[in-house]
Amino acid sequence: MNTATMNRNANHASTAPAFLSVWDLHAYYGESYIVQGVTFNVHEGEILALLGRNGAGKTSTLRAIARLSEPEARHGEIWLDHQPLHKMASHQASAAGLALVPEDRRIIPGLTVEENLKLAQIAPPVGWSLDRLYDLFPRLGERKNQEGVTLSGGEQQMLAIARALARDIKVLLLDEPYEGLAPVIVDEIEKTLGLIKEQGITTILVEQNAVRALKLADRAVILDTGGIVFDGTAEEVLNNAELRAEYLAI
Ligand SMILES: Nc1ncnc2c1ncn2[C@@H]1O[C@H](COP(=O)(O)OP(=O)(O)O)[C@@H](O)[C@H]1O
Ligand SMILES: [Mg+2]
């Protein structure tokens, strides 16, 4: 990270150079200006909840961090462990250690659970072994020869997360992993996210289920109309009824 960037980051949230820094990110869908100057830091090994109402810009922010072509990031810097992601294409950001698990999970049809995982391991550096992934998600081990798209919603979410870990990643970006899942399955995935954290992976968790996300997260950032309106600890949000009512409707 160059000195200018460090100084700019020092104006926000933390004084230590963060593991993942998003600085003054602006992104557009065509002429629609959606991500309007987003700045936040994520520390190594923490779970950061990225929250906000429907349409606040959470998905767009994750996609811009992952360097996907839409929305188009036209300004800002993204640093991951001293690597300038803002200068990279999405496949390079991915090779630098970033994995986005999109809301629709994107399980590849026609492939078994194991084939979906092996496909993620084609290009080095390979991440977690199949054994380690099946230890983390025993349900996937039991269903390794089943076609991925025939799994239940919760199991597909597990497969999508496992596939991210099958590559050598530093940061996991999760877009509404609990969506549409029964509370007992959410419990299971939540427990797994805790185990993934213990392995040193840094996570940004976007969730509509803000209470759940805040109970798991170390810190929280709240987005509203494409800008940050809160940056602090998860506990501060849980204890602030006004903030919760205004931006999270809880
Ligand atoms: N592909 C797109 N083209 C144009 N506008 C979009 C597109 N995707 C999302 N938007 C708009 O961007 C804003 C933020 O959307 P999004 O990032 O999906 O919010 P969230 O994930 O917080 O619900 C919304 O106003 C949405 O309508
Ligand atoms: Mg979204």
Side-chain angles (χ1 to χ4, degrees):
M1 195 180 290
N2 65 42
T3 315
T5 307
M6 280 177 54
N7 288 341
R8 273 179 307 217
N9 285 334
N11 295 330
H12 303 280
S14 162
T15 49
F19 187 62
L20 176 66
S21 285
V22 177
W23 179 76
D24 204 20
L25 184 63
H26 299 253
Y28 298 73
Y29 295 101
E31 288 314 302
S32 296
Y33 179 36
I34 301 296
V35 178
Q36 306 183 352
V38 163
T39 297
F40 64 93
N41 288 328
V42 193
H43 306 298
E44 188 168 15
E46 80 177 350
I47 298 178
L48 178 90
L50 177 60
L51 306 173
R53 278 187 288 245
N54 221 344
K58 304 180 297 296
T59 297
S60 303
T61 299
L62 289 189
R63 290 178 59 85
I65 293 171
R67 305 291 300 147
L68 295 171
S69 55
E70 289 230 284
E72 186 197 347
R74 292 193 197 153
H75 184 82
E77 295 182 10
I78 306 157
W79 294 87
L80 168 59
D81 200 12
H82 309 284
Q83 304 168 94
L85 296 191
H86 54 282
K87 292 182 179 163
M88 297 183 189
S90 65
H91 69 278
Q92 293 167 321
S94 160
L98 196 80
L100 169 63
V101 177
E103 214 172 338
D104 62 9
R105 295 156 195 164
R106 309 266 166 87
I107 306 305
I108 299 164
L111 299 186
T112 64
V113 167
E114 188 147 304
E115 287 164 347
N116 265 277
L117 295 174
K118 280 185 169 164
L119 192 61
Q121 293 177 326
I122 279 182
V126 170
W128 293 27
S129 66
L130 291 175
D131 283 347
R132 195 168 166 209
L133 291 170
Y134 294 149
D135 273 348
L136 185 69
F137 294 110
R139 279 165 180 267
L140 296 183
E142 288 158 20
R143 293 162 180 77
K144 65 182 178 188
N145 296 319
Q146 191 175 326
E147 191 184 346
V149 292
T150 67
L151 297 173
S152 70
E155 290 157 1
Q156 287 193 30
Q157 185 62 54
M158 292 173 196
L159 179 54
I161 296 171
R163 197 174 48 184
L165 295 169
R167 295 191 301 102
D168 185 23
I169 62 160
K170 297 181 171 120
V171 176
L172 190 57
L173 309 176
L174 298 175
D175 198 356
E176 302 207 22
Y178 305 156
E179 193 192 8
L181 306 182
V184 40
I185 304 295
V186 174
D187 288 343
E188 216 175 298
I189 292 178
E190 192 173 56
K191 204 177 104 198
T192 313
L193 296 182
L195 294 172
I196 292 169
K197 175 185 161 143
E198 282 174 17
Q199 300 298 309
I201 307 265
T202 305
T203 297
I204 299 183
L205 174 61
V206 164
E207 251 307 316
Q208 278 302 317
N209 194 334
V211 174
R212 279 275 195 171
L214 288 165
K215 282 186 178 151
L216 183 68
D218 302 289
R219 288 194 313 116
V221 162
I222 302 179
L223 267 177
D224 194 48
T225 50
I228 302 283
V229 292
F230 174 87
D231 184 332
T233 67
E235 212 182 334
E236 282 172 77
V237 183
L238 285 168
N239 293 333
N240 188 332
E242 214 170 298
L243 195 64
R244 292 195 325 249
E246 185 163 2
Y247 298 112
L248 307 175
I250 52 171

